[in-house]
Amino acid sequence: MATEQRQPITDRGRLIERQRELDALDAAFRELRGSADGAPRVRRRGMLALTGRAGLGKTALVTEARARAAASGLTVLSGRGGESEQGSAFRVVRQLMQPPLARMDEAQLHAFLGSWYDVVAAVLGLEARGAVPAPDPTGVREGLDWVMTRLTVQQAPVVLLLDDLHWADIESLTWLASFAARVEDLPLLIVVAYRPDELPPEAVGLRALLADHGERPHGLAPLTADGVAQIVRNEIGETAEDRFCKECWLATGGSPFEAVELAIGLAERNLGGTGEDLPTMRALAAAIKGPGLIARLERLGTATVRFAHTAAVLGSPFSPRLAAAIAVLGEQAATEAVRKLRAARILAEGHGPEGELEFVHPLIATTIYQSIGTDFRAGLHDAAAQAVLAAGYDAATAARHLLEVPCDGSTETVECLREAARAYLRAGATEAAGRLLARALQEPPRPRDRAAILHELACATFLVEPTATVRHLRQALAEPDVDPDLRASVVFRLTQALAHTDQMAEAERVATEEARQAPNPRVKLRMQADQFVWGMFRTDDRDSPARSRTLARLAGKLPGRRLEERYILGLRAWDAVMRGEPRRTALGYAERALRGGMSWTDENRGFEVPASVALVFMYGDRPRRAEELFGTGIAECAAKGWCGSHLALGHTLAGYIRYRRGCLAEAEDLELRGLRIADRVEGAVPAQWFAVGILIQTLLARGRVGDARALADRHHFGETAPNAVIYPDPRTVYAELLLAEGRHAEAAPLLSAVGEWLDGRAWRNPSWCPWRLRLASALAPAAPREAVEHAREAVRRAREFGAASTVGEALRTLAEVTGGPAAVDLYAEAVTHLEQSPAAYELARAQVGHGAALSRAGRVQEAADRLYEGLEGAVHCGAEALAAHARGELSAAGLRPLPLRYPQADTLTTQEYRTAELTVRGQPVAVVAKELHLTEQGVRQLLSRVYRKIGTDASGLAEFLDDRPHGMV
């Protein structure tokens, strides 16, 4: 549990020459109370920093801040860094959060933390519920944000006091820097104290935030001669001579710590402060720190020195019982040592359940620690590691000491470091885990354990240093007699790291080589799946057709009983979509791949295949099924604290599905969420490409061309092409932006290059990449015949795939580039196909285009009906520009827009549900129309609304009704 702040050494009287800082604290507390009383107001202060070199009284100010905050009715949560504890991940976070959580019983804790319990349990020292996979650092930080926000709201207003921030652990600093940005939105004030010259790079974000808040750090100045004189006279009396007091100021350099210690020493010796006392004063001043302090300590006796050395190794605060055991002192000797050290103002009483002690000031602890001989200090650390384990402390506590012990091939040391590293990984502290595992390799471990430790180290460095991950994994593969399952995990992690460092070809080569030499059929199949994954995602792959044939032959032989087989089936489904094979073929393989389940968070397999399988349903006009699968995957990632690139891609692609359905506002929200996550996660470049491209398409559909251009420019989209396959294809998306800007001549060559690339891979599905349709639009103004040829070829390929939405979109484009009377029938056919699909936006586009063509042909009444339908669809989709175009066409035809006839709703009406039931039973349209007393066209319109509302075409109706036997009315 956390301990209280150390008591100030200046508590014998008020703080001297610190009124400016105290006034700033009081003002910040008043403002905080005001922000929590319900009255709306703008806060000027969310953070306040106290800075200065060692000994200038930062801790005294922090302690005074605690007292004043508590007296003002504010809740105070506090923590402090420790010089010897900087390697203990999340130590300061635990100090802040554990005390209020400790007052809750187990049931209250689970209720308070909710779904974040397992994500933050390891960080906060709570017992996890069963085996929990390691969360990513982003997920841990978000979980801690949630916990601190909840604590703040529950106990508002709250003050966070953080002393010795320069010694805080990296993980706590990283979290604090990200959380502090939200402080203005909460009834919370953060007060930090640190030595500016010793602040680590991880705290740079805090300095920037202070500047953003308009608050410069309050730098503490040394005391003036008058200030030191006041401290001295408070202790020894007003008769102290001016000359004597000035000499005290010179001897202490104006340090409040040294001035107070000196004054107390003078009082203990009953000195009066005259010229005759100057030699004694100077001796006392020299003994406060440095060699003088060590000489003073040595005069206290050997046992006392040994106890002080052990205390310095343990770090403040420490258990006197544990220190006595390490120093090999009996109870009486330890008690006497403590008495002497407290009398000498070296140690002071701490606050904790075991009567912990702490050094009076960090300067004292540092001086004593540095005075210990190197070999003896290492021996003390070794003894401390054994003692803390024997006392029941965790491996991480022991590991801190083992890092200071020379390597000697100890198996016990290796296992302790590995256990501590696993605990850190469970807490998302990957850098801390990496330090411990790197040290374990130096020990060194037994030869048979080396590959496993290298693999563990690679897992720890994967998110922060992928190039080092590659190096560690290659070393692991070079070890002799690696366990086959471990080797498969090493290879998968290596291919992932290579892909993340833009080495897709090498990733595929490694997987291919491992598949070739794997002796175990199951492992071989898994390696083949990895080989196919990285091959498919390479933009420069020249063996795509041959690989597709190999994949088809392999998938045709597999029953799909084992997970390795289902991954192959899933890849076959994805490949079928890319190649434009009949959608029934692709959907059939996708269904087989899902039998038995696929995890999105399997650390040794990745989420590429489960996500691809889900998208097969989207391209195949079954977006509802795709959304269900993505919903499950996103929930799985969130539950395990995977809030980085996995979650970014999950939200982005879920938004893509909504875009394809025509739910543009919802799509934009999801894509923005995905992009925000991707932007803040280090190394999430592929996730950014996905998010930016999909969001640009959505903005264009909504008619916000300027916003789309700004987004593209902000992310340099279109300037470079990634080496990994991204969908929708970035160059095609950029060409769509150019077309929306009227830059047809620039779009055409870009699209031609995309077509050449895709045709070379035999990826011909216009549902996956409609480059040919966009090229037809680009060529239409200058080369109409060529445009028509491209559009016709796209229609042919769309019919081969067989998704109604794809056929309808291709026919609409063909109608646009054909123009004239012939366009009317093409538009009509496009509408017919799109009415049988869940693609609401594409249907509205076709309806508006058909209406405009009918109007130009003089068929005004028919045009009015189509334009009203298209306008209604555009409004429901959130396609503002399309709606404006429909209104313009109505106005040009001399018609006025009517009120919307159908309210926007996701649930089926009774009549719609009954129509779906009868259709699933195989009843012809004529029979359904007769039973429901409708026209056949009325039935078709009802079914069209059903498809759009539930997100499927006719092939998914039966599954929908099976899931909802009582209807969705």
Side-chain angles (χ1 to χ4, degrees), residues 693-711:
I694 294 171
L695 183 54
I696 286 174
Q697 279 196 320
T698 302
L699 292 171
L700 291 177
R702 304 199 72 181
R704 288 155 52 191
V705 179
D707 289 347
R709 166 53 65 185
L711 176 67

Side-chain angles (χ1 to χ4, degrees), residues 629-710:
L629 293 169
F630 266 92
T632 300
I634 289 171
E636 193 176 334
C637 290
K640 295 182 178 180
W642 289 17
C643 298
S645 58
H646 292 76
L647 201 60
L649 273 171
H651 285 304
T652 296
L653 293 175
Y656 191 35
I657 300 170
R658 299 304 284 176
Y659 161 79
R660 301 269 300 202
R661 286 187 64 175
C663 306
L664 301 182
E666 297 173 35
E668 183 180 350
D669 287 344
L670 285 166
E671 292 149 14
L672 282 170
R673 189 182 309 172
L675 181 57
R676 281 193 293 267
I677 296 172
D679 281 345
R680 72 170 183 259
V681 175
E682 185 177 354
V685 176
Q688 290 174 328
W689 277 96
F690 276 96
V692 172
I694 294 171
L695 183 54
I696 286 174
Q697 279 196 320
T698 302
L699 292 171
L700 291 177
R702 304 199 72 181
R704 288 155 52 191
V705 179
D707 289 347
R709 166 53 65 185

Side-chain angles (χ1 to χ4, degrees), residues 208-424:
L209 282 170
L210 283 166
D212 291 342
H213 282 251
E215 282 290 324
R216 295 173 58 188
H218 293 270
L220 305 187
L223 297 178
T224 64
D226 289 342
V228 172
Q230 186 175 348
I231 291 173
V232 170
R233 286 174 174 140
N234 285 344
E235 291 294 333
I236 65 175
E238 294 296 329
T239 58
E241 297 175 356
D242 289 345
R243 177 172 170 247
F244 180 87
C245 290
K246 187 164 186 178
E247 289 294 327
C248 289
W249 174 64
L250 292 172
T252 61
S255 164
F257 160 66
E258 295 181 43
V260 170
E261 288 296 307
L262 175 59
I264 293 172
L266 294 172
E268 288 174 345
R269 287 159 180 76
N270 295 317
L271 299 181
T274 65
E276 296 177 356
D277 298 327
L278 285 174
T280 305
M281 181 275 293
R282 294 190 180 104
L284 287 173
I288 293 173
K289 62 179 183 179
L293 170 63
I294 300 306
R296 179 159 59 98
L297 172 63
E298 290 173 347
R299 288 195 293 271
L300 300 179
T302 303
T304 304
V305 170
R306 196 157 69 241
F307 188 92
H309 286 171
T310 303
V313 165
L314 287 174
S316 289
F318 65 91
S319 162
R321 184 174 302 176
L322 184 62
I326 298 169
V328 196
L329 294 176
E331 182 177 352
Q332 184 174 352
T335 301
E336 179 62 16
V338 169
R339 186 192 66 76
K340 289 181 178 179
L341 290 168
R342 291 186 65 176
R345 292 188 58 77
I346 291 174
L347 291 181
E349 182 180 353
H351 302 270
E354 297 184 23
E356 281 88 345
L357 298 171
E358 56 187 14
F359 286 94
V360 165
H361 196 277
L363 283 172
I364 296 174
T366 301
T367 300
I368 293 175
Y369 183 81
Q370 292 176 348
S371 73
I372 307 172
T374 303
D375 293 340
F376 184 54
R377 187 165 63 214
L380 282 177
H381 276 294
D382 190 28
Q386 310 310 317
V388 297
L389 287 175
Y393 292 81
D394 59 21
T397 304
R400 175 178 76 80
H401 295 289
L402 292 175
L403 291 175
E404 306 298 330
V405 178
C407 302
D408 67 350
S410 166
T411 301
E412 291 77 13
T413 294
V414 170
E415 288 308 308
C416 180
L417 292 169
R418 290 179 74 183
E419 183 181 346
R422 285 191 286 269
Y424 280 150

